[in-house]
Amino acid sequence: MHEDFELVQKHEDILGKRTALLDQMEMQRQQQRAKRKQQKAQSKAARERNTQLLEDLDTLENKLRMKQAPHPDFLTLETCYWASVEEQLPAWEPFLLGRGPAPLPCRPCQSPSRRRPDRDAPHSSSTVTHNTGLPPRPKKKPATAAAV
């Protein structure tokens, strides 16, 4: 009888563990279902967002294609800028790579057609004063005889 009692006790323990494991498995399955459902919702939202972004990109690309070409002066300026960058790059490369000091600033470049005539043209008369960037000085007034 004692052996029967022990076997019944073991059987009940095994059934209890089985029930606990089945409950645990059911909870994990429900959690996985909830997680899958959440992932599906997030995936759908991401897909819709990506679709909207692609449509926006297509719209912007179409607008850029239909936009008029830039003004020729702008294209010339852009070309000159990049030519200047390429010309100055060897001097700046050590500084940009952290291997040396910055080069001395270069003087602004001006094309001959853009120079101002008052600064660059030679002066024909000696009475013309050079433009120093300062306002003219006032002329001296002659002294008067009636000084009190």
Side-chain angles (χ1 to χ4, degrees):
M1 283 250 165
H2 183 56
E3 290 177 6
D4 289 341
F5 180 74
E6 286 180 14
L7 287 176
V8 170
Q9 191 72 26
K10 283 184 180 181
H11 181 69
E12 287 179 6
D13 286 345
I14 291 172
L15 287 177
K17 288 180 182 178
R18 179 179 179 265
T19 304
L21 286 173
L22 287 173
D23 290 344
Q24 187 179 9
M25 286 173 51
E26 183 63 29
M27 287 176 53
Q28 286 180 346
R29 198 174 97 208
Q30 288 175 356
Q31 288 174 351
Q32 285 178 345
R33 283 181 180 168
K35 188 176 180 180
R36 247 186 253 129
K37 188 176 182 179
Q38 183 182 14
Q39 287 174 340
K40 282 182 182 180
Q42 289 174 342
S43 176
K44 182 180 178 184
R47 202 172 355 321
E48 290 172 358
R49 188 175 54 246
N50 290 346
T51 301
Q52 184 62 44
L53 287 172
L54 288 173
E55 288 173 2
D56 291 347
L57 279 174
D58 286 341
T59 303
L60 288 173
E61 286 176 353
N62 289 336
K63 284 182 181 178
L64 286 174
R65 280 190 203 109
M66 294 180 161
K67 190 176 180 181
Q68 291 181 346
H71 193 274
D73 289 345
F74 176 78
L75 293 175
T76 302
L77 180 64
E78 184 181 23
T79 304
C80 290
Y81 169 78
W82 285 114
S84 172
V85 168
E86 288 176 5
E87 179 182 314
Q88 293 295 320
L89 185 61
W92 281 90
E93 193 168 6
F95 172 73
L96 294 172
L97 295 174
R99 297 183 190 148
L104 296 175
C106 69
R107 70 184 207 326
C109 303
Q110 289 184 338
S111 65
S113 64
R114 298 280 183 181
R115 289 186 181 145
R116 293 194 331 215
D118 61 334
R119 287 190 171 203
D120 297 344
H123 298 293
S124 58
S125 70
S126 61
T127 58
V128 175
T129 59
H130 293 286
N131 184 0
T132 60
L134 299 173
R137 294 181 177 247
K139 295 182 180 180
K140 292 183 180 179
K141 295 183 181 178
T144 59
V148 177

